[in-house]
Amino acid sequence: MIWQTHEVSNQYEELADYSLYDSDPALNEVLLRADAGWAEAGLRAYGERLGRTDSFELAEQANRHAPELRAFDRRGRRIDQVDSHPSWHQLLALYREQGLVSMPFDSERTGRWSATMAGLYLHGQVEAGSLCPATMTQAAIPLLRREPALWAQLGDKLFSCVHDSRDLPLERKASAWIGMGMTEKQGGSDLRANTTRATPLGAGGRGGEYLLRGHKWFWSAPMCDAHLVLAKTADGASCCFYVPRWRPDGERNAVRIQRLKDKVGNRSNAGCEVEFQDAWGVLIGEEGRGIPTIIEMAGYTRLNCVIGSAALLRQGTVQALAYARRRTAFGKRLAEQPIMRAVLADLALESEAALQLAARLSEAFERDDAPALRGWKRIVTPAAKFWVCKRAVALSGEAMEVFGGNGYVDGPMARLYREAPLNSIWEGAGNVMCLDVLRALQREPAAWEALLAELEDWAGDEAATRRALAQLRALAAEPEPLEWQGRRFAQLLVLTAQACLLLRHAPAALARGFVDTRLDDGQWGRVAGALDARRLDVEAILLRALPV
């Protein structure tokens, strides 16, 4: 006898089989505004591919079947091999096929940075771990392009749209992935405390060969074909080195994987600890300028942290809204209940504000010749990395909670929640970002003034936004005590910038809602939904977030 104690009803799966691109009117507008219409057809096709059920299944498999370390082969030879599930490689291949890895640097097309942003934003809504090697590889391109000998070997492989997962010397591969290695146990974010030593083989200097001895405490994507690494020469000068997985003589380089990290999230992407046992490397950039050299790379990856967190906010909002429109409780659909509508509207406001900010920063990375755009790039980027990544942590939890207990078990919502903290920590945690904002204020006074002027122009006569701008100007004029309020300043800067962007580019209901709830009531970081939704055009905001 088959027992049937109840009928399963009022249960709904997470949203799938939809177009991530066509369901996002704000993203469509961003591309057209940036003169990136040439990328629209490709992004639309990619959004449809990513929205399929089997794409979400790839993401689930890649995170369920975590990478495994094989330090030795069956005969005891050291191989330091990390094996990933086939789904991981399928995700990397999907991303690389779009040309997104090299798109910002392989042409001078207007809108190329905005198109790259859109592709990363779409992919990050489905699976974030695979963006790690893609982001690092992209960020390494401008550094390696300044090294003629290395670029002659690497250029075509970095611009390739083919994913080559084979563990072979680079000259035998169709494409290359590049990682980075900065952090050591004793120093963390303080890179001056690094102890890894580099000894020249011969005269040394830029383009010279070195042997590296030391360690890195965090080493992401160990199966990359090479990493850019910080190490010190005998005189204590910090330098940046290109350290390949295979040496020129065809032997594996002496980068020994000690163990894989057991991470909270980002499970699909291997992270590990390594030791350099006289690993072979080539010095890139100027001697003694290793930290500025690799921080240039980190500048690009910090932008991608903002975009990646905006993607998590978007996916959380879409999933929560789609579910609330179907699920019923207490006699009504969740999306019809006032307290839930307040939460959903808050998620939608936060999501579009993050997208508009990421879009403006991407434009600034494409053309930072104007002072205001330089202000966005140098001053607002670290502030955005601080604030948007923090908001993704809090609001991915809120989106998960819309699903109740179902959100907390295996599935996309739990994975979003586990994923969110990484962008806030990676490439400089919150305090580091806020300090970078303050340093940029001091070093770039002309850019700061131009940025303020642009924001004041966009704010028009909107009173709350103009008050916030006046407060920012007053705080920046007192640099000595500002570090005590570093987080407050960065937070206010981002909220004001987002308000101005929405006033300029978003529908009035959404812009007004953001200003009223973020600047006018002064409760910047409250929990989602702790607002007076009667002041908002909630239906217009929700339809903008996900058209029915």
Side-chain angles (χ1 to χ4, degrees), residues 285-346:
E286 299 176 26
E287 283 189 84
R289 298 282 297 168
I291 293 176
T293 297
I294 208 163
I295 288 299
E296 179 186 342
M297 182 178 178
Y300 295 109
T301 57
R302 286 170 179 174
L303 169 64
N304 285 359
C305 285
V306 177
I307 300 167
S309 289
L312 297 178
L313 285 165
R314 171 65 185 170
Q315 183 63 194
T317 299
V318 166
Q319 292 291 351
L321 183 51
Y323 184 76
R325 284 172 173 169
R326 292 177 291 174
R327 173 83 170 175
T328 59
F330 309 112
K332 290 193 293 188
R333 296 190 188 277
L334 290 178
E336 296 171 349
Q337 304 197 26
I339 196 166
M340 180 60 79
R341 288 173 70 78
V343 172
L344 295 171
D346 222 351

Short mmCIF file of all heavy atoms in Angstrom, two decimals, residues 285-346:
data_model
loop_
_atom_site.label_atom_id
_atom_site.label_comp_id
_atom_site.label_asym_id
_atom_site.label_seq_id
_atom_site.Cartn_x
_atom_site.Cartn_y
_atom_site.Cartn_z
N GLY A 285 57.05 44.92 -14.31
CA GLY A 285 56.97 46.26 -13.73
C GLY A 285 58.32 46.72 -13.22
O GLY A 285 59.35 46.05 -13.40
N GLU A 286 58.34 47.85 -12.56
CA GLU A 286 59.58 48.43 -12.08
C GLU A 286 60.00 47.76 -10.77
O GLU A 286 59.17 47.42 -9.93
CB GLU A 286 59.41 49.92 -11.86
CG GLU A 286 59.06 50.70 -13.11
CD GLU A 286 58.81 52.16 -12.82
OE1 GLU A 286 59.36 52.67 -11.82
OE2 GLU A 286 58.07 52.81 -13.58
N GLU A 287 61.31 47.61 -10.59
CA GLU A 287 61.84 47.11 -9.32
C GLU A 287 61.42 48.03 -8.19
O GLU A 287 61.47 49.26 -8.31
CB GLU A 287 63.36 47.03 -9.37
CG GLU A 287 63.90 45.85 -10.15
CD GLU A 287 65.41 45.71 -9.97
OE1 GLU A 287 65.83 45.11 -8.97
OE2 GLU A 287 66.14 46.22 -10.83
N GLY A 288 61.00 47.43 -7.07
CA GLY A 288 60.60 48.22 -5.91
C GLY A 288 59.18 48.76 -5.99
O GLY A 288 58.72 49.41 -5.05
N ARG A 289 58.49 48.51 -7.10
CA ARG A 289 57.13 49.01 -7.29
C ARG A 289 56.13 47.86 -7.37
O ARG A 289 55.11 47.95 -8.04
CB ARG A 289 57.06 49.85 -8.57
CG ARG A 289 57.94 51.08 -8.57
CD ARG A 289 57.32 52.20 -7.77
NE ARG A 289 56.06 52.65 -8.35
CZ ARG A 289 55.19 53.46 -7.73
NH1 ARG A 289 55.45 53.87 -6.49
NH2 ARG A 289 54.08 53.82 -8.31
N GLY A 290 56.43 46.80 -6.64
CA GLY A 290 55.57 45.62 -6.72
C GLY A 290 54.17 45.85 -6.22
O GLY A 290 53.19 45.41 -6.83
N ILE A 291 54.05 46.55 -5.08
CA ILE A 291 52.72 46.77 -4.52
C ILE A 291 51.88 47.66 -5.43
O ILE A 291 50.74 47.30 -5.77
CB ILE A 291 52.81 47.33 -3.08
CG1 ILE A 291 53.41 46.26 -2.16
CG2 ILE A 291 51.45 47.78 -2.58
CD1 ILE A 291 53.64 46.72 -0.73
N PRO A 292 52.38 48.83 -5.90
CA PRO A 292 51.57 49.61 -6.85
C PRO A 292 51.24 48.83 -8.12
O PRO A 292 50.15 49.00 -8.70
CB PRO A 292 52.45 50.82 -7.16
CG PRO A 292 53.34 50.96 -5.98
CD PRO A 292 53.60 49.56 -5.51
N THR A 293 52.16 47.97 -8.58
CA THR A 293 51.91 47.21 -9.80
C THR A 293 50.73 46.27 -9.62
O THR A 293 49.79 46.24 -10.43
CB THR A 293 53.16 46.41 -10.20
OG1 THR A 293 54.21 47.32 -10.49
CG2 THR A 293 52.89 45.55 -11.43
N ILE A 294 50.74 45.50 -8.55
CA ILE A 294 49.67 44.53 -8.37
C ILE A 294 48.38 45.18 -7.87
O ILE A 294 47.28 44.68 -8.11
CB ILE A 294 50.11 43.37 -7.44
CG1 ILE A 294 49.34 42.09 -7.81
CG2 ILE A 294 49.96 43.73 -5.97
CD1 ILE A 294 49.96 40.82 -7.27
N ILE A 295 48.50 46.35 -7.21
CA ILE A 295 47.31 47.08 -6.80
C ILE A 295 46.58 47.63 -8.02
O ILE A 295 45.36 47.80 -8.02
CB ILE A 295 47.66 48.19 -5.79
CG1 ILE A 295 48.02 47.57 -4.44
CG2 ILE A 295 46.51 49.17 -5.62
CD1 ILE A 295 46.90 46.76 -3.78
N GLU A 296 47.31 47.92 -9.09
CA GLU A 296 46.64 48.30 -10.34
C GLU A 296 45.73 47.17 -10.80
O GLU A 296 44.59 47.40 -11.22
CB GLU A 296 47.66 48.61 -11.43
CG GLU A 296 47.01 48.99 -12.76
CD GLU A 296 48.01 49.16 -13.89
OE1 GLU A 296 49.21 49.32 -13.63
OE2 GLU A 296 47.57 49.11 -15.06
N MET A 297 46.22 45.95 -10.71
CA MET A 297 45.40 44.78 -11.04
C MET A 297 44.19 44.71 -10.10
O MET A 297 43.06 44.46 -10.53
CB MET A 297 46.25 43.52 -10.93
CG MET A 297 45.55 42.23 -11.30
SD MET A 297 46.71 40.83 -11.18
CE MET A 297 45.64 39.46 -11.60
N ALA A 298 44.44 44.96 -8.81
CA ALA A 298 43.34 44.90 -7.84
C ALA A 298 42.30 45.97 -8.09
O ALA A 298 41.12 45.79 -7.76
CB ALA A 298 43.90 45.03 -6.43
N GLY A 299 42.70 47.10 -8.69
CA GLY A 299 41.72 48.13 -9.02
C GLY A 299 40.65 47.61 -9.96
O GLY A 299 39.45 47.90 -9.79
N TYR A 300 41.06 46.82 -10.94
CA TYR A 300 40.09 46.24 -11.86
C TYR A 300 39.23 45.19 -11.16
O TYR A 300 38.02 45.10 -11.38
CB TYR A 300 40.81 45.60 -13.05
CG TYR A 300 41.55 46.58 -13.94
CD1 TYR A 300 42.94 46.61 -13.95
CD2 TYR A 300 40.86 47.46 -14.75
CE1 TYR A 300 43.62 47.51 -14.77
CE2 TYR A 300 41.53 48.36 -15.57
CZ TYR A 300 42.92 48.38 -15.56
OH TYR A 300 43.58 49.27 -16.37
N THR A 301 39.86 44.37 -10.33
CA THR A 301 39.09 43.32 -9.67
C THR A 301 38.12 43.90 -8.64
O THR A 301 37.06 43.32 -8.38
CB THR A 301 40.01 42.28 -9.01
OG1 THR A 301 40.88 42.92 -8.09
CG2 THR A 301 40.84 41.56 -10.05
N ARG A 302 38.46 45.05 -8.07
CA ARG A 302 37.52 45.69 -7.14
C ARG A 302 36.26 46.16 -7.86
O ARG A 302 35.15 46.06 -7.32
CB ARG A 302 38.21 46.86 -6.43
CG ARG A 302 39.21 46.40 -5.38
CD ARG A 302 40.07 47.54 -4.85
NE ARG A 302 40.99 47.06 -3.82
CZ ARG A 302 41.94 47.79 -3.25
NH1 ARG A 302 42.10 49.05 -3.61
NH2 ARG A 302 42.73 47.27 -2.33
N LEU A 303 36.43 46.67 -9.06
CA LEU A 303 35.24 47.02 -9.86
C LEU A 303 34.38 45.77 -10.05
O LEU A 303 33.15 45.82 -9.91
CB LEU A 303 35.67 47.58 -11.22
CG LEU A 303 34.55 47.73 -12.25
CD1 LEU A 303 33.51 48.76 -11.79
CD2 LEU A 303 35.11 48.10 -13.62
N ASN A 304 35.00 44.65 -10.36
CA ASN A 304 34.23 43.43 -10.59
C ASN A 304 33.59 42.91 -9.31
O ASN A 304 32.56 42.22 -9.37
CB ASN A 304 35.13 42.37 -11.24
CG ASN A 304 35.37 42.67 -12.71
OD1 ASN A 304 34.86 43.65 -13.24
ND2 ASN A 304 36.16 41.85 -13.36
N CYS A 305 34.18 43.21 -8.16
CA CYS A 305 33.50 42.88 -6.90
C CYS A 305 32.19 43.65 -6.77
O CYS A 305 31.18 43.11 -6.31
CB CYS A 305 34.41 43.21 -5.71
SG CYS A 305 35.76 42.06 -5.44
N VAL A 306 32.20 44.92 -7.17
CA VAL A 306 30.97 45.72 -7.13
C VAL A 306 29.94 45.12 -8.07
O VAL A 306 28.77 44.94 -7.71
CB VAL A 306 31.27 47.18 -7.52
CG1 VAL A 306 29.97 48.00 -7.55
CG2 VAL A 306 32.26 47.82 -6.55
N ILE A 307 30.37 44.80 -9.30
CA ILE A 307 29.44 44.23 -10.28
C ILE A 307 28.91 42.88 -9.80
O ILE A 307 27.72 42.58 -9.90
CB ILE A 307 30.13 44.08 -11.64
CG1 ILE A 307 30.61 45.45 -12.17
CG2 ILE A 307 29.18 43.44 -12.66
CD1 ILE A 307 31.56 45.35 -13.35
N GLY A 308 29.81 42.05 -9.25
CA GLY A 308 29.40 40.74 -8.77
C GLY A 308 28.39 40.83 -7.63
O GLY A 308 27.44 40.05 -7.57
N SER A 309 28.58 41.79 -6.73
CA SER A 309 27.62 41.96 -5.63
C SER A 309 26.30 42.52 -6.15
O SER A 309 25.23 42.15 -5.67
CB SER A 309 28.20 42.88 -4.56
OG SER A 309 29.25 42.23 -3.87
N ALA A 310 26.37 43.41 -7.15
CA ALA A 310 25.13 43.88 -7.77
C ALA A 310 24.38 42.71 -8.41
O ALA A 310 23.14 42.67 -8.38
CB ALA A 310 25.45 44.95 -8.83
N ALA A 311 25.12 41.76 -8.98
CA ALA A 311 24.48 40.57 -9.57
C ALA A 311 23.78 39.74 -8.51
O ALA A 311 22.66 39.24 -8.73
CB ALA A 311 25.53 39.72 -10.29
N LEU A 312 24.41 39.58 -7.34
CA LEU A 312 23.77 38.83 -6.26
C LEU A 312 22.51 39.55 -5.78
O LEU A 312 21.48 38.91 -5.50
CB LEU A 312 24.75 38.66 -5.10
CG LEU A 312 26.03 37.85 -5.39
CD1 LEU A 312 26.92 37.82 -4.16
CD2 LEU A 312 25.70 36.42 -5.83
N LEU A 313 22.58 40.88 -5.67
CA LEU A 313 21.41 41.65 -5.27
C LEU A 313 20.28 41.48 -6.29
O LEU A 313 19.11 41.33 -5.92
CB LEU A 313 21.77 43.12 -5.13
CG LEU A 313 22.56 43.52 -3.88
CD1 LEU A 313 23.16 44.91 -4.04
CD2 LEU A 313 21.67 43.46 -2.64
N ARG A 314 20.64 41.52 -7.56
CA ARG A 314 19.63 41.36 -8.61
C ARG A 314 18.97 40.00 -8.56
O ARG A 314 17.74 39.89 -8.59
CB ARG A 314 20.29 41.57 -9.99
CG ARG A 314 19.43 41.23 -11.19
CD ARG A 314 18.23 42.14 -11.32
NE ARG A 314 17.35 41.71 -12.42
CZ ARG A 314 16.14 42.21 -12.65
NH1 ARG A 314 15.66 43.16 -11.87
NH2 ARG A 314 15.42 41.78 -13.65
N GLN A 315 19.77 38.95 -8.46
CA GLN A 315 19.20 37.61 -8.46
C GLN A 315 18.36 37.37 -7.21
O GLN A 315 17.28 36.77 -7.28
CB GLN A 315 20.29 36.55 -8.55
CG GLN A 315 19.79 35.12 -8.64
CD GLN A 315 18.95 34.79 -9.86
OE1 GLN A 315 18.30 33.76 -9.92
NE2 GLN A 315 18.96 35.67 -10.87
N GLY A 316 18.80 37.87 -6.06
CA GLY A 316 18.01 37.74 -4.85
C GLY A 316 16.67 38.45 -4.97
O GLY A 316 15.62 37.92 -4.56
N THR A 317 16.69 39.64 -5.55
CA THR A 317 15.46 40.40 -5.72
C THR A 317 14.50 39.70 -6.67
O THR A 317 13.30 39.58 -6.40
CB THR A 317 15.80 41.81 -6.25
OG1 THR A 317 16.64 42.49 -5.31
CG2 THR A 317 14.54 42.62 -6.49
N VAL A 318 15.01 39.25 -7.81
CA VAL A 318 14.17 38.58 -8.81
C VAL A 318 13.56 37.31 -8.24
O VAL A 318 12.35 37.06 -8.40
CB VAL A 318 15.00 38.28 -10.07
CG1 VAL A 318 14.27 37.30 -10.98
CG2 VAL A 318 15.31 39.57 -10.82
N GLN A 319 14.38 36.51 -7.59
CA GLN A 319 13.87 35.25 -7.05
C GLN A 319 12.83 35.50 -5.95
O GLN A 319 11.79 34.83 -5.90
CB GLN A 319 15.02 34.40 -6.51
CG GLN A 319 15.95 33.86 -7.56
CD GLN A 319 15.31 32.80 -8.45
OE1 GLN A 319 14.20 32.34 -8.20
NE2 GLN A 319 16.01 32.41 -9.50
N ALA A 320 13.11 36.46 -5.08
CA ALA A 320 12.16 36.75 -4.00
C ALA A 320 10.85 37.27 -4.55
O ALA A 320 9.75 36.86 -4.11
CB ALA A 320 12.78 37.78 -3.04
N LEU A 321 10.91 38.14 -5.54
CA LEU A 321 9.70 38.72 -6.10
C LEU A 321 8.88 37.68 -6.87
O LEU A 321 7.65 37.60 -6.73
CB LEU A 321 10.07 39.89 -7.01
CG LEU A 321 8.94 40.69 -7.67
CD1 LEU A 321 7.91 41.13 -6.65
CD2 LEU A 321 9.53 41.89 -8.39
N ALA A 322 9.55 36.85 -7.67
CA ALA A 322 8.85 35.82 -8.43
C ALA A 322 8.16 34.83 -7.48
O ALA A 322 7.02 34.40 -7.72
CB ALA A 322 9.82 35.08 -9.34
N TYR A 323 8.84 34.47 -6.41
CA TYR A 323 8.26 33.53 -5.44
C TYR A 323 7.08 34.16 -4.71
O TYR A 323 6.01 33.54 -4.54
CB TYR A 323 9.33 33.12 -4.44
CG TYR A 323 8.91 32.07 -3.45
CD1 TYR A 323 8.79 30.73 -3.82
CD2 TYR A 323 8.61 32.41 -2.14
CE1 TYR A 323 8.41 29.76 -2.91
CE2 TYR A 323 8.23 31.45 -1.21
CZ TYR A 323 8.13 30.13 -1.60
OH TYR A 323 7.74 29.17 -0.69
N ALA A 324 7.24 35.43 -4.29
CA ALA A 324 6.18 36.08 -3.53
C ALA A 324 4.93 36.30 -4.37
O ALA A 324 3.82 36.38 -3.82
CB ALA A 324 6.69 37.42 -2.98
N ARG A 325 5.08 36.39 -5.66
CA ARG A 325 3.91 36.55 -6.54
C ARG A 325 3.12 35.26 -6.68
O ARG A 325 1.97 35.28 -7.13
CB ARG A 325 4.36 37.05 -7.91
CG ARG A 325 4.73 38.52 -7.95
CD ARG A 325 5.36 38.92 -9.27
NE ARG A 325 5.57 40.37 -9.36
CZ ARG A 325 6.29 40.97 -10.30
NH1 ARG A 325 6.88 40.23 -11.25
NH2 ARG A 325 6.42 42.29 -10.32
N ARG A 326 3.70 34.11 -6.31
CA ARG A 326 3.01 32.83 -6.45
C ARG A 326 2.58 32.24 -5.11
O ARG A 326 1.49 31.65 -5.01
CB ARG A 326 3.93 31.84 -7.17
CG ARG A 326 4.19 32.20 -8.63
CD ARG A 326 5.18 31.22 -9.28
NE ARG A 326 6.52 31.39 -8.72
CZ ARG A 326 7.55 30.60 -9.02
NH1 ARG A 326 7.39 29.57 -9.84
NH2 ARG A 326 8.74 30.84 -8.49
N ARG A 327 3.38 32.38 -4.11
CA ARG A 327 3.11 31.76 -2.81
C ARG A 327 2.00 32.50 -2.06
O ARG A 327 1.98 33.73 -2.02
CB ARG A 327 4.41 31.79 -1.99
CG ARG A 327 4.28 31.33 -0.55
CD ARG A 327 4.35 29.85 -0.41
NE ARG A 327 4.45 29.46 1.00
CZ ARG A 327 4.44 28.21 1.43
NH1 ARG A 327 4.37 27.21 0.55
NH2 ARG A 327 4.53 27.94 2.70
N THR A 328 1.09 31.75 -1.47
CA THR A 328 0.02 32.34 -0.66
C THR A 328 0.22 32.04 0.81
O THR A 328 0.74 30.98 1.18
CB THR A 328 -1.37 31.82 -1.10
OG1 THR A 328 -1.40 30.40 -0.96
CG2 THR A 328 -1.66 32.21 -2.54
N ALA A 329 -0.20 32.98 1.64
CA ALA A 329 -0.19 32.80 3.10
C ALA A 329 -1.24 33.72 3.70
O ALA A 329 -1.38 34.87 3.25
CB ALA A 329 1.20 33.13 3.67
N PHE A 330 -1.97 33.19 4.65
CA PHE A 330 -3.00 33.98 5.34
C PHE A 330 -4.01 34.58 4.36
O PHE A 330 -4.46 35.71 4.50
CB PHE A 330 -2.35 35.09 6.19
CG PHE A 330 -1.28 34.59 7.10
CD1 PHE A 330 0.05 34.94 6.87
CD2 PHE A 330 -1.57 33.74 8.16
CE1 PHE A 330 1.06 34.47 7.69
CE2 PHE A 330 -0.56 33.27 8.99
CZ PHE A 330 0.75 33.63 8.76
N GLY A 331 -4.32 33.78 3.34
CA GLY A 331 -5.40 34.14 2.45
C GLY A 331 -5.04 35.04 1.28
O GLY A 331 -5.91 35.38 0.47
N LYS A 332 -3.76 35.44 1.17
CA LYS A 332 -3.35 36.31 0.06
C LYS A 332 -1.97 35.89 -0.43
O LYS A 332 -1.20 35.26 0.30
CB LYS A 332 -3.31 37.78 0.49
CG LYS A 332 -4.65 38.41 0.75
CD LYS A 332 -4.54 39.92 0.85
CE LYS A 332 -3.77 40.36 2.08
NZ LYS A 332 -3.84 41.83 2.26
N ARG A 333 -1.67 36.26 -1.65
CA ARG A 333 -0.31 36.05 -2.12
C ARG A 333 0.64 36.92 -1.30
O ARG A 333 0.30 38.03 -0.88
CB ARG A 333 -0.20 36.38 -3.61
CG ARG A 333 -1.02 35.46 -4.51
CD ARG A 333 -0.69 35.67 -5.97
NE ARG A 333 -1.62 34.94 -6.82
CZ ARG A 333 -1.51 33.65 -7.12
NH1 ARG A 333 -0.50 32.95 -6.64
NH2 ARG A 333 -2.39 33.07 -7.90
N LEU A 334 1.85 36.41 -1.11
CA LEU A 334 2.83 37.16 -0.31
C LEU A 334 3.05 38.56 -0.89
O LEU A 334 3.18 39.54 -0.14
CB LEU A 334 4.16 36.41 -0.27
CG LEU A 334 4.21 35.12 0.54
CD1 LEU A 334 5.60 34.50 0.42
CD2 LEU A 334 3.88 35.39 2.00
N ALA A 335 3.12 38.66 -2.21
CA ALA A 335 3.42 39.94 -2.85
C ALA A 335 2.27 40.95 -2.72
O ALA A 335 2.43 42.11 -3.08
CB ALA A 335 3.75 39.73 -4.32
N GLU A 336 1.12 40.52 -2.21
CA GLU A 336 0.00 41.42 -2.01
C GLU A 336 -0.05 41.95 -0.58
O GLU A 336 -0.85 42.86 -0.28
CB GLU A 336 -1.32 40.70 -2.32
CG GLU A 336 -1.44 40.26 -3.78
CD GLU A 336 -2.63 39.36 -4.01
OE1 GLU A 336 -3.24 38.90 -3.01
OE2 GLU A 336 -2.97 39.10 -5.18
N GLN A 337 0.76 41.41 0.32
CA GLN A 337 0.68 41.77 1.73
C GLN A 337 1.58 42.96 2.01
O GLN A 337 2.76 42.99 1.63
CB GLN A 337 1.06 40.56 2.57
CG GLN A 337 0.17 39.36 2.24
CD GLN A 337 0.21 38.28 3.28
OE1 GLN A 337 0.47 38.54 4.44
NE2 GLN A 337 -0.07 37.06 2.87
N PRO A 338 1.06 43.98 2.67
CA PRO A 338 1.80 45.24 2.82
C PRO A 338 3.20 45.09 3.40
O PRO A 338 4.15 45.71 2.89
CB PRO A 338 0.89 46.05 3.75
CG PRO A 338 -0.48 45.54 3.48
CD PRO A 338 -0.31 44.06 3.23
N ILE A 339 3.36 44.29 4.42
CA ILE A 339 4.68 44.21 5.04
C ILE A 339 5.68 43.54 4.11
O ILE A 339 6.85 43.93 4.05
CB ILE A 339 4.61 43.50 6.42
CG1 ILE A 339 5.89 43.77 7.21
CG2 ILE A 339 4.33 42.00 6.25
CD1 ILE A 339 5.76 43.40 8.68
N MET A 340 5.22 42.55 3.32
CA MET A 340 6.10 41.93 2.35
C MET A 340 6.37 42.87 1.18
O MET A 340 7.48 42.91 0.64
CB MET A 340 5.50 40.62 1.85
CG MET A 340 6.36 39.89 0.81
SD MET A 340 8.03 39.44 1.43
CE MET A 340 7.61 37.99 2.41
N ARG A 341 5.40 43.65 0.78
CA ARG A 341 5.61 44.60 -0.30
C ARG A 341 6.68 45.62 0.07
O ARG A 341 7.47 46.06 -0.77
CB ARG A 341 4.29 45.29 -0.67
CG ARG A 341 3.33 44.37 -1.40
CD ARG A 341 1.97 44.99 -1.60
NE ARG A 341 1.94 46.08 -2.56
CZ ARG A 341 1.95 45.92 -3.88
NH1 ARG A 341 2.01 44.70 -4.40
NH2 ARG A 341 1.89 46.96 -4.68
N ALA A 342 6.72 45.99 1.33
CA ALA A 342 7.76 46.92 1.79
C ALA A 342 9.14 46.30 1.65
O ALA A 342 10.09 46.95 1.20
CB ALA A 342 7.50 47.32 3.24
N VAL A 343 9.26 45.02 2.01
CA VAL A 343 10.54 44.32 1.88
C VAL A 343 10.94 44.22 0.41
O VAL A 343 12.09 44.51 0.03
CB VAL A 343 10.47 42.92 2.52
CG1 VAL A 343 11.74 42.12 2.23
CG2 VAL A 343 10.26 43.03 4.03
N LEU A 344 10.02 43.79 -0.43
CA LEU A 344 10.32 43.61 -1.85
C LEU A 344 10.69 44.93 -2.52
O LEU A 344 11.61 44.99 -3.34
CB LEU A 344 9.13 42.97 -2.56
CG LEU A 344 8.77 41.54 -2.12
CD1 LEU A 344 7.45 41.12 -2.75
CD2 LEU A 344 9.87 40.56 -2.49
N ALA A 345 9.99 45.99 -2.17
CA ALA A 345 10.31 47.29 -2.74
C ALA A 345 11.70 47.74 -2.32
O ALA A 345 12.46 48.31 -3.12
CB ALA A 345 9.26 48.32 -2.32
N ASP A 346 12.04 47.49 -1.07
CA ASP A 346 13.38 47.85 -0.59
C ASP A 346 14.46 47.08 -1.34
O ASP A 346 15.49 47.64 -1.72
CB ASP A 346 13.47 47.56 0.91
CG ASP A 346 14.19 48.66 1.67
OD1 ASP A 346 14.76 49.56 1.02
OD2 ASP A 346 14.19 48.63 2.90
#
